[in-house]
Amino acid sequence: KTLAFGREEGGKPFLVDGAGDIHFNVTHTPTLVGVCVGIGGPVGIDSENGRRELRGSVGKIAKRWFSAQELAALEACEDEAAARRRFYRLWTLKEAFLKATGMGISSSVSLRGCAFDFVDGGVGPGREPSTDIRFEILGGGSDGLRGEDWGFATIEPVRGDFLSVCWKRGDREGVT
């Protein structure tokens, strides 16, 4: 069977020709490829290679894109390695959400307009994905979006590679 793809206004790809109930998203780093497929609601996935060099420090980037509570949690990390792990988990969670909704980083919600919180230490190579993630859309939400309508999972499949998934909560919910 031949599949036809289109792009939403924000650039998010979708299947055309009656496949509207199937949603997907893709991501990659030089060492990791991720695909997320969902039925009945939008999904998003993002990955980052935490070993790459950043333009600026983690703290400098976070001050521009993270909420005050995320920034405080980042600054409270015990050392630079822990701060980098938390930074990449936050970044991939934010990007996965924006990709699921089809919004970009300059949208009405944006990277700074949503906030995540989680307990560090639950994610690492060889461990199951962490789904104990609290999420809030700051400023009361936008475009009818509510934080409680979205589910998240994050994992570090190999040391230094971070991957997060976002899905619209519904009847058929789960992470594999």
Side-chain angles (χ1 to χ4, degrees):
K1 181 176 178 178
T2 301
L3 297 174
F5 298 90
R7 287 200 179 269
E8 294 177 357
E9 186 176 311
K12 182 179 180 181
F14 66 91
L15 289 168
V16 295
D17 297 332
D21 204 33
I22 299 173
H23 301 262
F24 73 97
N25 201 234
V26 297
T27 187
H28 67 88
T29 70
T31 57
L32 183 69
V33 174
V35 177
C36 181
V37 178
I39 298 173
V43 294
I45 186 169
D46 189 59
S47 61
E48 289 290 337
N49 179 333
R51 296 174 302 278
R52 72 181 173 100
E53 289 296 318
L54 297 172
R55 290 187 203 135
S57 70
V58 164
K60 182 178 178 183
I61 296 168
K63 284 178 184 169
R64 179 172 181 193
W65 296 109
F66 288 7
S67 71
Q69 68 191 57
E70 291 167 329
L71 190 55
L74 192 67
E75 290 170 347
C77 288
E78 61 196 40
D79 58 31
E80 181 63 25
R84 281 182 73 88
R85 282 193 305 279
R86 185 169 192 91
F87 171 85
Y88 280 111
R89 286 182 69 193
L90 287 166
W91 188 271
T92 58
L93 285 164
K94 288 171 172 289
E95 286 279 354
F97 171 70
L98 294 178
K99 289 171 75 174
T101 61
M103 297 187 292
I105 63 173
S106 61
S107 70
S108 57
V109 172
S110 77
L111 291 173
R112 194 174 194 141
C114 55
F116 291 89
D117 193 21
F118 48 82
V119 176
D120 283 321
V123 173
R127 295 192 178 175
E128 293 293 314
S130 171
T131 57
D132 186 13
I133 300 163
R134 289 166 299 290
F135 173 64
E136 177 184 6
I137 298 174
L138 304 174
S142 174
D143 301 324
L145 294 173
R146 300 176 330 146
E148 59 268 23
D149 292 339
W150 299 90
F152 297 89
T154 185
I155 189 168
E156 187 180 355
V158 295
R159 177 71 54 201
D161 280 325
F162 300 86
L163 186 136
S164 292
V165 177
C166 171
W167 64 93
K168 179 98 186 248
R169 293 189 186 276
D171 296 335
R172 298 177 275 182
E173 186 173 317
V175 176
T176 303

